[in-house]
Amino acid sequence: MQLIGKVRAGRGLFVVAMVVASSVLVGCAGEASVQDTSTQIGSPSPDQTADPAPTTGAAAQIADLPEVDGFTPVAAIETRPATNPWDGTLVVGGDVVVYRNDLSAQTYTVTGYTSPNYTESWSTTGAGWLTCSNASEIVCEALSYDQGVRTVENVFMLSPHDGTSTELPAGSPGTFLFVGMYADVAYFLTWDGTTYMHMTGFDATGAAVNDANLRIQAPESSEVVDVDATVAGAFARVSVPGSEAVLFSFERNSVLFSGVPDECVGLSDGVVCADSSAPFIGYSISGKEWQVPVPGAILLSSTGAPNLTLRSARTMLESIADAVAAVPDADHYIVPESDSLELAQLDDGTLVLPAGYSVPLSDATVSGADLTHDAVIVNVRRVGDATGESGGNTIDYSVLVAADGHVAASLDDDALRHLLSSRNEATMDLQPFTLGWSGNQLVFTDEVDGIVGLYVQV
């Protein structure tokens, strides 16, 4: 049977199709062999230390990095340019982890670079396609591919410092889906041999420490199911077609409510959920506390507002609703900060940030924002013009706005025009200029040329 799963992680929506079965069929069309599921594919064996890699220095130089006003570059790492959307870069403290996938060979390579010189310190390879999520721990899923179906074979936690891995026994291939981390526990939707889906948590040793029945019917043999799971602070929203979306509490290890709107943000004492066609709703562990209509406003996904209470959030949203009504033709985005909800408005190609600063974006759309530091990161998307039957390239990039309101860094206009007009056999989704935070370090990633840079604020 097939399952199509969606998990929101990082900057986008991760989509993967899985086969749910007691064994995995591999091989060419018309000639299939059965692989014993006791042999897990895709990661080093549990707790295995990765083979030491040559300690050759990173080829990239500080001079190769873009200038970021108000920041000083401290490290530059050159990696192989990304050739597909499965490649990725993770930064944890003083460690940088880069994973690459060979789609035709169905193998992956993960490489670690450590401070202070950021030389290549370890590398490991394995079978399958890898995708990794970075929260309090790095969690990686290894997938196989056969006849149009991708199967999550196994999952493991990865140490960024030395490449060791700990396998998590989430279930038989295709019977689990990674949701996210809470309190250093990795949570999964699981349904290996069960009537209903469960929420199961594993600690860093691989031991199952939590399990709860979600009362959502597990897939049957002929079903194709869209699963959407999102972590919001101490809660998770889980949605499966045919069932109402539920709100799960990690602290209570149980489902609290059903019928929850699309996007949720965690607060200090609850969660706020909304979609563009429904009111914003505030939930506590006890129940629905309030709802505030803010027509047309989009709640951007974020790390949450851990220092904001439900009571304060309601007051802020009521004020935001008045501001939205005053500019009805603009695109309205509600951006969570650590202790507040802020309004950003995109009107006639100009984004007005909460502090009143204006950022020209031309015909770009806003896909996310990070207001956790004095300098604001705005993630935007541009789509090029279609040519014939081919659609235009999609360019995702970041804009850094300094505390005084000026643009401190962004993708060069000439480079943007070149990437939008570049043609290949198929349209491309490119990420040439991505910014993010690792603690107080600013992280720059260019997946087109294969460069990672680390900066500190001056």
Side-chain angles (χ1 to χ4, degrees):
M1 86 182 78
Q2 292 182 324
L3 173 77
I4 298 175
K6 299 180 181 179
V7 176
R8 294 180 185 173
R11 54 174 177 259
L13 203 61
F14 168 72
V15 182
V16 58
M18 293 173 283
V19 174
V20 182
S22 59
S23 60
V24 181
L25 297 178
V26 296
C28 300
E31 180 182 356
S33 60
V34 177
Q35 176 178 314
D36 186 351
T37 57
S38 63
T39 302
Q40 297 287 334
I41 296 176
S43 77
S45 59
D47 304 313
Q48 173 186 342
T49 301
D51 295 332
T55 56
T56 54
Q61 305 296 319
I62 293 293
D64 297 327
L65 297 176
E67 291 187 7
V68 180
D69 193 18
F71 290 79
T72 298
V74 295
I77 301 168
E78 184 175 19
T79 67
R80 180 170 60 85
T83 57
N84 60 78
W86 298 87
D87 298 337
T89 301
L90 306 170
V91 180
V92 183
D95 301 306
V96 176
V97 175
V98 178
Y99 62 94
R100 302 293 188 194
N101 293 291
D102 186 326
L103 300 188
S104 60
Q106 294 197 45
T107 59
Y108 66 80
T109 300
V110 188
T111 306
Y113 305 84
T114 56
S115 60
N117 298 322
Y118 290 96
T119 55
E120 185 177 327
S121 59
W122 59 266
S123 183
T124 185
T125 60
W129 299 350
L130 203 66
T131 180
C132 298
S133 301
N134 183 16
S136 56
E137 303 284 348
I138 295 178
V139 176
C140 296
E141 293 174 292
L143 301 91
S144 65
Y145 179 85
D146 180 55
Q147 301 182 31
V149 178
R150 300 184 184 101
T151 304
V152 178
E153 296 284 345
N154 70 322
V155 63
F156 56 94
M157 284 187 180
L158 180 71
S159 167
H161 188 65
D162 59 14
T164 56
S165 64
T166 301
E167 195 159 329
L168 305 178
S172 301
T175 65
F176 58 88
L177 191 66
F178 179 56
V179 174
M181 300 289 300
Y182 179 73
D184 296 328
V185 174
Y187 282 90
F188 295 80
L189 296 179
T190 63
W191 58 92
D192 192 359
T194 62
T195 301
Y196 298 102
M197 284 185 170
H198 285 231
M199 184 75 78
T200 307
F202 299 88
D203 65 16
T205 70
V209 293
N210 287 312
D211 185 78
N213 189 337
L214 300 183
R215 296 296 174 183
I216 297 175
Q217 192 74 32
E220 296 291 344
S221 58
S222 61
E223 287 184 314
V224 176
V225 183
D226 289 327
V227 179
D228 186 82
T230 310
V231 173
F235 303 86
R237 179 188 180 276
V238 179
S239 175
V240 177
S243 301
E244 287 190 310
V246 300
L247 190 65
F248 178 85
S249 168
F250 293 121
E251 294 183 351
R252 287 200 173 182
N253 195 38
S254 63
V255 171
L256 299 181
F257 317 108
S258 59
V260 181
D262 286 349
E263 194 71 50
C264 295
V265 170
L267 309 180
S268 65
D269 57 351
V271 64
V272 170
C273 300
D275 59 45
S276 58
S277 61
F280 283 65
I281 301 175
Y283 298 93
S284 69
I285 288 181
S286 302
K288 183 188 295 186
E289 298 292 333
W290 47 257
Q291 63 180 42
V292 177
V294 190
I298 298 172
L299 178 62
L300 293 179
S301 59
S302 73
T303 55
N307 299 319
L308 178 64
T309 65
L310 280 165
R311 182 176 180 179
S312 296
R314 177 179 183 174
T315 301
M316 292 175 183
L317 285 171
E318 290 171 341
S319 176
I320 287 173
D322 294 336
V324 167
V327 191
D329 295 331
D331 294 331
H332 307 283
Y333 303 95
I334 295 181
V335 186
E337 285 196 67
S338 173
D339 57 358
S340 67
L341 298 174
E342 302 291 346
L343 176 65
Q345 294 178 314
L346 180 61
D347 189 17
D348 196 23
T350 299
L351 179 68
V352 180
L353 292 171
Y357 304 134
S358 298
V359 182
L361 295 182
S362 185
D363 56 352
T365 58
V366 178
S367 56
D370 187 334
L371 279 66
T372 58
H373 293 66
D374 290 340
V376 175
I377 296 174
V378 180
N379 296 319
V380 299
R381 168 169 289 187
R382 286 281 302 274
V383 179
D385 295 331
T387 302
E389 296 181 358
S390 177
N393 293 337
T394 298
I395 313 298
D396 291 296
Y397 64 98
S398 300
V399 178
L400 183 71
V401 182
D404 64 1
H406 78 279
V407 175
S410 183
L411 181 63
D412 178 79
D413 287 342
D414 290 338
L416 177 59
R417 283 191 290 269
H418 171 73
L419 293 171
L420 286 171
S421 62
S422 297
R423 288 291 175 260
N424 204 332
E425 293 180 358
T427 58
M428 296 179 288
D429 188 348
L430 304 174
Q431 297 167 350
F433 197 99
T434 303
L435 297 173
W437 298 103
S438 178
N440 288 322
Q441 282 188 323
L442 182 67
V443 182
F444 163 77
T445 305
D446 176 357
E447 294 188 1
V448 174
D449 291 328
I451 297 176
V452 178
L454 303 180
Y455 299 76
V456 294
Q457 195 163 10
V458 296

